[in-house]
Amino acid sequence: MYAPLEFEDAHYSQIEYQRKQQQYWDSIRLAIFTLAIVAIIGIAIGIVAHFVVEDDKSFYFLASYKVTNIKYRENYGIRTSREFAERSHQIERMMSRIFRRDFPGSSRFIKSHVIKISPDEHGVNILVVLMFRYPSTSSTAQIKKIIENTFYQSLKIKQLPLTISKPSFTLTSIDSKKMRNLLNSRCGIRMTPSNMPLPASSSTQRIVQGRQTAMEGEWPWQASLQLIGAGHQCGASLISNTWLLTAAHCFRRNKNSHQWIITFGTTIIPPAVKRNVGKIIIHEKYDNKTNEHDIALVQMTSRVEFSNVVQRVCLPDSSIKLRPKTSVFVTGFGSIVDDGPIQNNLRQARVETISTDVCNRKDVYDGMITSGMLCAGFMEGKVDACKGDSGGPLVYDNRDIWYLVGIVSWGQSCALPKKPGVYTRVTQYRAWIASKTGI
Ligand code: ARG
């Protein structure tokens, strides 16, 4: 009775053993199969990622070359002159033509910035910063070769407006710090946090009845002029690493420099940078009844470091004349309704210049606008600076370089029809500013 059972038992365990072994190999096979699938998916993702999110990095170069078909002009030495602006823009357009098209990998070229135009016995010398984006794995030497080859190729096959002397061309790789220092030597340039110049602003947010606030680094010359203990009083514009321009009427109640401070950044609290005031220079002929010569200079006790959020604005040549209806921007921490509170976030508004003739009409400001004033806003009202914006900038964008054309000065209430904002006309005071600061 036991024997068959015993036999059966032995037989059973052999089958069981084979089954177990089969199972074992099955699971090994499954594991290998799974691993293979995972590996294939992984490689596929890797390949896709390599092309889609290829890790690009900025590469900067300083190029120098001679141009032989133009003559040097005195004003090329003055970076804010119209001659420099026009010539450098032509050069920057030409650099785009050289590098934009038929370039291996297409849009590797980002932008160029002319740093200097200097005299040379055979014409002029150009110093220009070139910005490219390449995969972070590329070597600088490799990129330099490509750029040089493209440059020489373009000289041969492209019709360029300027005659570049090929042997004079030199190219040096620079790091982002050096690039920033070179660009910072220019005024009126806005930078994004990644060191790329910000293009012209297209936004139309208002100070009065506005909603959105200004972006970080969009108006890096904007400062807040504050009375210790009483907070924000006025706006101001940075014109060098120690000097600011503001309105004279901001100091009507208090002229003691020890009681004032300057802050930078897009919020009043917290500020990005804070400085004490060393000197206040109010225009000698400021008249608080007529609002004439409403301009003042403020010097900080220590200089500021230029960065993405702190940058100086360009002062316009005294010869620059803006046509009526030119788009300009006003920024400030002022109230968004008449007699409203100060805003902690910087605001901006696009307004248009209005001719003095129109602004002096009987139904507008009836002859109160003098040659040192500039009207800007809209005849129908709606968009305007307001209380607390005083002293702040009215800026004009000429090819991504920003110029201070006005200082917020006065207005009847805010944003009323036929009562546009009145600004101090900065071009009228160009010589006065130079006489006090050397800028
Ligand atoms: N005077 C005013 C101030 O102290 C600002 C004047 C600007 N007014 C205007 N409607 N744009 O802040």
Side-chain angles (χ1 to χ4, degrees), residues 366-423:
D366 194 15
M368 291 158 84
I369 308 303
T370 62
S371 61
M373 299 178 193
L374 166 72
C375 292
F378 297 97
M379 277 315 216
E380 61 270 31
K382 289 205 174 65
V383 186
D384 195 4
C386 205
K387 301 267 153 11
D389 291 322
S390 279
L394 179 76
V395 287
Y396 166 65
D397 168 25
N398 183 15
R399 296 154 173 165
D400 287 344
I401 298 174
W402 294 80
Y403 294 85
L404 183 70
V405 292
I407 300 167
V408 179
S409 178
W410 62 278
Q412 188 180 322
S413 187
C414 303
L416 293 182
K418 292 189 182 164
K419 305 293 170 204
V422 185
Y423 299 79

